[in-house]
Amino acid sequence: SYGPDLFRDNVGFLKALREKSPGEMYIGGLMGCRGDAYRGDQGLSAQEAQRFHSWQAAALAGSGVEFLYAGIMPTLPEALGMARAMGATGLPYLISFMIRRDGRLLDGVPMREAIAAIEEGARPRPLCYLANCVHPSLVREALSQPFNRDPLVVRRFMGLQANASPLPPEELETSEALMTTAPDDLAREMLSLRDLCDFRIWGGCCGTDDRHMEALARGI
């Protein structure tokens, strides 16, 4: 079918780029929720999600990617089903949440509970957990919530692909203008999160460009 062919072509293109690039590079397969990642009322159940996402996880694994990445997951049940689908491929994988400043996923589940549920319900477990499409100031508030000041979160929540705007999802989704934070300011806020968790993975999402990544690299 067209899906596996496209995946193989894309991985071939990325491998060609890697051969010409300095440094170490890994090729990942990005997956996402079935509905709107900025809403918490459209997620699949864990069973539905495992069934729905398994074909893509298997197709990406067959294309030669080296890890799988579930991005902007707004609800726990779909994230759990996604974790099971990705884990079944045998590839290492990451789960990245869409979170609010109150420390919860968009379906209202606290981050600590979401991580604990996936740790318990998926085998193998994810390499770690992240957030993406969220401003670092909001991530700081989320991680500072008392129920998230837990050893499990501190140890297993390890990355951020930052949105450059601190607006909530509902406002960003309807915005007609690009919202962004100055590169040095965004990088400084991102790196300050190391005070809260064992962060290892850094990147940019909406509103970021090469200037933000260069500022982040300088900070690291």
Side-chain angles (χ1 to χ4, degrees):
S1 66
Y2 69 90
D5 289 341
L6 284 176
F7 295 153
R8 282 192 293 269
D9 287 348
N10 189 40
V11 171
F13 173 70
L14 293 173
K15 287 181 176 179
L17 285 180
R18 178 165 64 182
E19 291 175 359
K20 302 175 183 178
S21 302
E24 198 167 10
M25 186 182 298
Y26 298 93
I27 297 172
L30 175 63
M31 300 175 62
C33 63
R34 182 180 183 181
D36 187 339
Y38 278 6
R39 294 181 57 174
D41 60 353
Q42 297 183 351
L44 300 174
S45 70
Q47 185 176 14
E48 291 170 334
Q50 183 175 0
R51 184 167 55 248
F52 179 80
H53 293 295
S54 286
W55 77 267
Q56 187 180 13
L60 284 167
S63 72
V65 301
E66 294 156 336
F67 69 96
L68 295 172
Y69 178 32
I72 326 183
M73 300 302 293
T75 66
L76 169 58
E78 187 160 3
L80 176 57
M82 178 84 85
R84 290 169 175 167
M86 294 192 296
T89 68
L91 288 177
Y93 67 96
L94 307 128
I95 297 287
S96 187
F97 299 121
M98 182 68 187
I99 58 175
R100 296 189 187 277
R101 65 172 71 238
D102 65 0
R104 301 171 185 271
L105 278 61
L106 300 196
D107 61 356
V109 176
M111 288 169 53
R112 197 272 173 201
E113 290 184 20
I115 292 173
I118 296 173
E119 293 282 281
E120 177 67 25
R123 292 291 183 274
R125 298 183 178 97
L127 288 177
C128 68
Y129 301 86
L130 307 84
N132 65 306
C133 214
V134 185
H135 193 271
S137 64
L138 305 186
V139 175
R140 172 167 287 280
E141 290 188 52
L143 291 173
S144 298
Q145 297 296 328
F147 51 78
N148 287 329
R149 300 312 301 148
D150 181 275
L152 178 65
V153 179
V154 172
R155 178 172 51 86
R156 296 287 282 139
F157 191 85
M158 299 174 64
L160 172 63
Q161 281 190 274
N163 192 309
S165 169
L167 292 176
E170 293 80 6
E171 292 184 51
L172 287 174
E173 189 162 43
T174 58
S175 174
E176 297 181 359
L178 179 66
M179 307 290 181
T180 189
T181 298
D184 287 337
D185 293 339
L186 186 73
R188 184 165 50 252
E189 288 196 68
M190 289 179 70
L191 293 172
S192 73
L193 296 172
R194 291 181 291 191
D195 295 339
L196 296 173
C197 286
D198 187 19
F199 275 78
R200 309 287 185 89
I201 301 172
W202 307 99
C205 202
C206 304
T208 63
D209 57 30
D210 57 324
R211 298 169 302 151
H212 295 85
M213 295 302 95
E214 288 168 0
L216 182 58
R218 287 194 301 271
I220 293 173

